[in-house]
Amino acid sequence: MSKDWEKEIAELRRGIEQAKRLREQALARKELLEKQLRELESEIRALGVEPEHLDQELARLEREIAQAVAEMRELIPWDLLAKYRARRGEERGGED
């Protein structure tokens, strides 16, 4: 049985052209993502942080936030607020 080489070659050419287009698209996407990365790194540096140290800086900020929240919780007179809510509940007849 003889093979139709012209069809085979045409199919191979289509495959090569599709692969070229995909490669070009991938390269364009890569270039765009690299540009975005450079822009993000520049923004991070403008905030005074080196991108390599971003994880440590985020952890430091998280610790600061946790400490500030803890300090604020200590400043709120929770016992007084609980008494106030209880008293208001009595005045309303148990409704709050």
Side-chain angles (χ1 to χ4, degrees):
M1 226 183 208
S2 111
K3 191 160 184 139
D4 188 350
W5 293 112
E6 286 183 26
K7 284 184 182 178
E8 182 78 19
I9 291 170
E11 183 180 346
L12 291 171
R13 283 186 179 148
R14 282 192 301 275
I16 290 169
E17 289 304 314
Q18 287 176 345
K20 282 181 182 179
R21 280 193 300 278
L22 283 174
R23 182 179 185 273
E24 289 169 5
Q25 290 172 357
L27 288 173
R29 177 82 172 137
K30 179 184 178 227
E31 186 177 316
L32 175 67
L33 293 173
E34 286 173 342
K35 180 182 177 201
Q36 289 176 344
L37 176 62
R38 287 189 302 273
E39 289 171 356
L40 287 172
E41 287 174 341
S42 177
E43 288 178 31
I44 291 168
R45 283 188 184 96
L47 295 171
V49 178
E50 285 300 314
E52 307 83 50
H53 302 129
L54 189 58
D55 288 339
Q56 295 96 329
E57 182 65 14
L58 289 173
R60 184 187 68 77
L61 291 171
E62 218 169 287
R63 286 190 304 271
E64 281 185 22
I65 290 169
Q67 181 179 355
V69 167
E71 289 172 7
M72 287 187 290
R73 283 193 171 280
E74 288 180 19
L75 295 173
I76 295 173
W78 296 107
D79 54 337
L80 180 63
L81 293 173
K83 287 177 187 176
Y84 175 75
R85 281 193 295 261
R87 202 171 117 224
R88 284 196 61 194
E90 289 175 9
E91 290 174 2
R92 291 182 167 182
E95 295 177 13
D96 199 16

